[in-house]
């Protein structure tokens, strides 16, 4: 009887649930962008310090070995400084304004997690490069700072995972917005037919006098 009564009365009204839509506060996006801009400045400084370490090594290690005639050790230190210097310059360009060359040859630098891993490896290499002397203290301080930037970058990349590039990479998003904001020029219109130079006279097939062109 209970089943028959429910079937006769029809389905019971269901109370609609209030769908809660999670939205960000108005200032959350601006705060996130400012934090990412600060992180980019920190990354640019870390890359510049890597290039500075390479320049110091070029003056101390490479020239020192050249003076003493150790060509093989000089080549080793030169290759080390070249890799550090090129990596530092590419990191500075990737943090400030990504270039097509950097995106082509080092695509990992265009992502936040890729740059964080790069700083992690570079910091671990630089922090133990020298064992004694003033250069060892410079390498220790630079490596410690680069490792700190790597840690902050890894935390931010974990928190911003799943976001579109316009939010996770503000520089790339700003470039994309600037490209979209540029007005699209219409295709070049065809030139009017009047500018074409028509033949002045057309000769008759039977060899008679030329007739004036209708055009």
């Amino acid at each position: 009887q209970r089943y028959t009564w429910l079937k006769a009365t029809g389905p019971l009204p269901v109370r609609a649930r209030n769908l809660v839509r999670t939205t960000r506060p108005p200032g959350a996006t601006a705060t996130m962008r400012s934090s990412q801009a600060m992180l980019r400045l920190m990354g640019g400084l870390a890359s510049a310090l890597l290039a500075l370490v390479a320049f110091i090594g070029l003056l101390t290690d490479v020239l020192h070995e050249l003076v003493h005639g150790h060509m093989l050790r000089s080549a080793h230190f030169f290759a080390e400084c070249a890799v550090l210097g090129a990596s530092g310059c590419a990191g500075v360009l990737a943090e400030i304004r990504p270039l097509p060359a950097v995106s082509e040859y080092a695509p990992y630098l265009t992502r936040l997690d890729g740059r964080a891993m790069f700083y992690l490896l570079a910091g671990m290499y630089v922090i133990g490069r020298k064992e004694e002397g003033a250069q060892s203290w410079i390498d220790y301080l630079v490596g410690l700072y680069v490792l700190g930037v790597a840690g902050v970058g890894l935390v931010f990349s974990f928190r911003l995972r799943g976001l579109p590039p316009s939010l996770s990479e503000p520089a790339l998003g700003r470039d994309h917005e600037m490209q979209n904001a540029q007005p699209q020029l219409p295709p070049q219109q065809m030139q009017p037919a009047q500018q074409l130079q028509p033949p002045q006279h057309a000769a008759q097939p039977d060899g008679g006098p030329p007739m004036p062109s209708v055009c």
Side-chain angles (χ1 to χ4, degrees):
Q1 296 178 357
R2 184 179 180 182
Y3 175 75
T4 306
W5 178 79
L6 290 176
K7 186 176 181 180
T9 55
L12 296 176
V14 180
R15 181 177 298 177
R17 297 180 180 179
N18 295 328
L19 299 178
V20 179
R21 184 179 181 181
T22 57
T23 57
R24 294 182 178 271
T29 304
T31 303
M32 184 173 57
R33 287 183 177 272
S34 61
S35 302
Q36 292 171 352
M38 183 62 65
L39 181 59
R40 279 188 171 272
L41 291 178
M42 294 170 57
L45 179 59
S47 300
L49 290 177
L50 291 177
L52 178 62
V53 168
F55 181 73
I56 295 175
L58 185 66
L59 297 179
T60 56
D61 299 331
V62 178
L63 294 182
H64 180 267
E65 298 297 334
L66 280 177
V67 169
H68 289 80
H70 302 159
M71 302 302 296
L72 296 180
R73 290 185 58 84
S74 176
H76 166 73
F77 287 119
F78 178 78
E80 182 184 37
C81 296
V83 171
L84 281 177
S87 302
C89 294
V92 171
L93 294 177
E95 295 287 3
I96 296 177
R97 186 178 182 84
L99 297 178
V102 177
S103 303
E104 180 179 0
Y105 295 104
Y108 56 90
L109 292 179
T110 60
R111 299 179 53 183
L112 182 58
D113 53 353
R115 293 194 301 271
M117 292 301 300
F118 164 70
Y119 294 139
L120 180 62
L121 297 177
M124 288 190 297
Y125 174 76
V126 172
I127 200 171
R129 197 169 67 97
K130 296 291 182 178
E131 296 182 356
E132 59 183 7
Q135 194 174 358
S136 65
W137 284 100
I138 296 176
D139 293 344
Y140 176 77
L141 294 177
V142 172
L144 191 64
Y145 175 78
V146 174
L147 287 177
V149 175
V152 176
L154 288 175
V155 172
F156 266 81
S157 63
F158 179 77
R159 292 180 58 184
L160 301 178
R161 67 186 187 280
L163 293 180
S166 60
L167 294 178
S168 60
E169 295 292 341
L172 297 179
R174 184 172 59 252
D175 294 342
H176 184 69
E177 291 176 359
M178 292 178 61
Q179 292 178 0
N180 293 336
Q182 294 180 356
Q184 299 292 334
L185 296 178
Q188 186 177 3
Q189 299 180 356
M190 298 181 60
Q191 298 293 334
Q194 286 78 8
Q195 294 183 3
L196 300 177
Q197 297 295 334
Q200 298 295 333
H201 300 282
Q204 291 183 354
D206 54 355
M211 297 179 62
S213 176
V214 178
C215 298

